């Protein structure tokens, strides 16, 4: 049985041209001299281990997966003495 998952994605780094320099989203400082330094900084801030890197776009995301809760079962139909739905 396959479980559906809900994925939460949040952008955390953007590339700061020229070269392989990165900064946090929404800030111009600090500037990291490599992607590895930027990811380490994000890990220290968020403790997230899961990253999505879109190198061509120059962005890095963190993401988390949560299992979707099972839908509640339908309420059973009830009948009155005449056999009509209530």
């Amino acid at each position: 049985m396959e479980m559906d998952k809900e994925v939460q994605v949040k952008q955390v780094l953007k590339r700061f041209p020229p070269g392989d320099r990165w900064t946090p989203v929404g800030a111009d400082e600090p500037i990291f001299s490599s992607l590895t330094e930027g990811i380490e900084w994000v890990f220290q801030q968020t403790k997230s281990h899961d990253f999505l890197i879109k190198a061509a776009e120059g962005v890095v995301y963190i993401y988390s997966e949560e299992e979707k809760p099972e839908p509640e079962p339908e309420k059973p139909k009830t009948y009155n003495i005449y056999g009509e739905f209530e």
Side-chain angles (χ1 to χ4, degrees), residues 5-11 50 61-66:
K5 294 187 178 187
E6 189 171 308
V7 177
Q8 304 284 329
V9 179
K10 178 181 177 187
Q11 184 179 353
D50 301 313
Y61 300 90
I62 57 174
Y63 73 92
S64 61
E65 297 176 342
E66 295 179 9

Side-chain angles (χ1 to χ4, degrees), residues 1-4 70:
M1 184 169 111
E2 189 174 319
M3 299 295 268
D4 287 332
E70 297 259 341

Side-chain angles (χ1 to χ4, degrees), residues 69-84:
E70 297 259 341
E72 291 190 27
E74 289 185 30
K75 200 172 185 180
K77 295 178 182 176
T78 57
Y79 298 89
N80 64 19
I81 196 166
Y82 301 106
E84 298 170 344

Side-chain angles (χ1 to χ4, degrees), residues 4 14 19 29-30 32 35 38 40 42 48 53 56 64-65 78 85:
D4 287 332
K14 63 183 178 192
E29 297 283 331
F32 307 107
L35 179 57
E40 175 64 23
V42 171
S48 178
I53 301 170
S64 61
E65 297 176 342
T78 57
F85 291 113

Side-chain angles (χ1 to χ4, degrees), residues 36-56:
T36 304
E37 284 184 15
I39 288 175
E40 175 64 23
W41 181 84
V42 171
F43 171 73
Q44 295 298 329
Q45 300 294 314
T46 65
K47 303 300 183 209
S48 178
H49 296 104
D50 301 313
F51 295 92
L52 173 63
I53 301 170
K54 293 198 168 198

Side-chain angles (χ1 to χ4, degrees), residues 10-28:
K10 178 181 177 187
Q11 184 179 353
V12 291
L13 294 174
K14 63 183 178 192
R15 192 174 77 81
F16 184 73
D20 187 30
R21 299 185 312 163
W22 298 81
T23 61
V25 171
D28 293 332

